[in-house]
Amino acid sequence: MPDVPASTTPVSRPVNSLPGWVPLLLAAVLIGADQWLKLWARTHLHIYESPIPFIPGLLGFQLTYNTGAAWSLLSGATVPLAVVRLLVGLGILVYLFVRPQPRFFALTLSLIAAGAVGNTIDGLRFGRVTDMLSSPALSAVTRTLKAGEFPIFNVADSCVVLGTLLLIVLSLLPDRRKQPT
């Protein structure tokens, strides 16, 4: 059998992995949804107004802006946070494109990347992140814990939190790959 030059050898993917474009597409759809809802909030809601119920008792719309990270940590550090978010988000997407990963792991990382890029866009364009989702149910929990109201958040924040929780779950599951004997 003739030698095949390394440059023409097909790149192999793990058996249960997704093509590199799938995580990119998922991230693009989530970023688009995040940006659309932020635009809608900026044009239809007014800051300091009471929440408008969407799913009564669970989810509502209330416009606010954040120049920091979650719970207004690092307030005023919008540009440095945007740069870090951009590096993290794009770094994850490049990694997933270059090194395909198992499906669930790739989708989980796509969520985190989409959230990072979604909030980066706001931070760089407006110098603050648009938040519009309020949750009376989550606020009831945080008030019970004597931690005040649950922060108003956005789709990008939800992607980062959900992705992080899924990563934690993945880390707790037993490795299903066959181990060499």
Side-chain angles (χ1 to χ4, degrees), residues 37 40-41 45-46 49-64 131-139 150-155 158:
L37 190 55
W40 177 85
L45 301 175
H46 301 285
E49 285 191 351
S50 297
I52 300 168
F54 178 65
I55 302 173
L58 186 61
L59 193 64
F61 296 113
Q62 183 177 14
L63 180 64
T64 190
D131 292 323
M132 79 298 295
L133 299 171
S134 66
S135 176
L138 292 174
S139 284
F150 192 83
I152 298 172
F153 56 100
N154 58 45
V155 172
S158 300

Side-chain angles (χ1 to χ4, degrees), residues 96-152:
L96 290 173
F97 189 76
V98 173
R99 302 227 17 196
Q101 297 297 310
R103 289 181 190 113
F104 193 69
F105 186 63
L107 296 176
T108 298
L109 288 180
S110 296
L111 286 170
I112 295 170
V117 173
N119 280 337
T120 293
I121 293 169
D122 268 26
L124 294 178
R125 282 184 68 201
F126 305 113
R128 59 191 185 180
V129 174
T130 304
D131 292 323
M132 79 298 295
L133 299 171
S134 66
S135 176
L138 292 174
S139 284
V141 171
T142 55
R143 281 192 308 270
T144 301
L145 298 172
K146 300 193 186 323
E149 295 295 312
F150 192 83
I152 298 172

Side-chain angles (χ1 to χ4, degrees), residues 14-16 102-105 169-180:
V15 176
N16 66 347
R103 289 181 190 113
F104 193 69
F105 186 63
V169 168
L170 276 174
S171 73
L172 297 174
L173 294 175
D175 191 356
R176 301 182 83 192
R177 293 176 291 181
K178 291 185 179 182
Q179 301 295 324

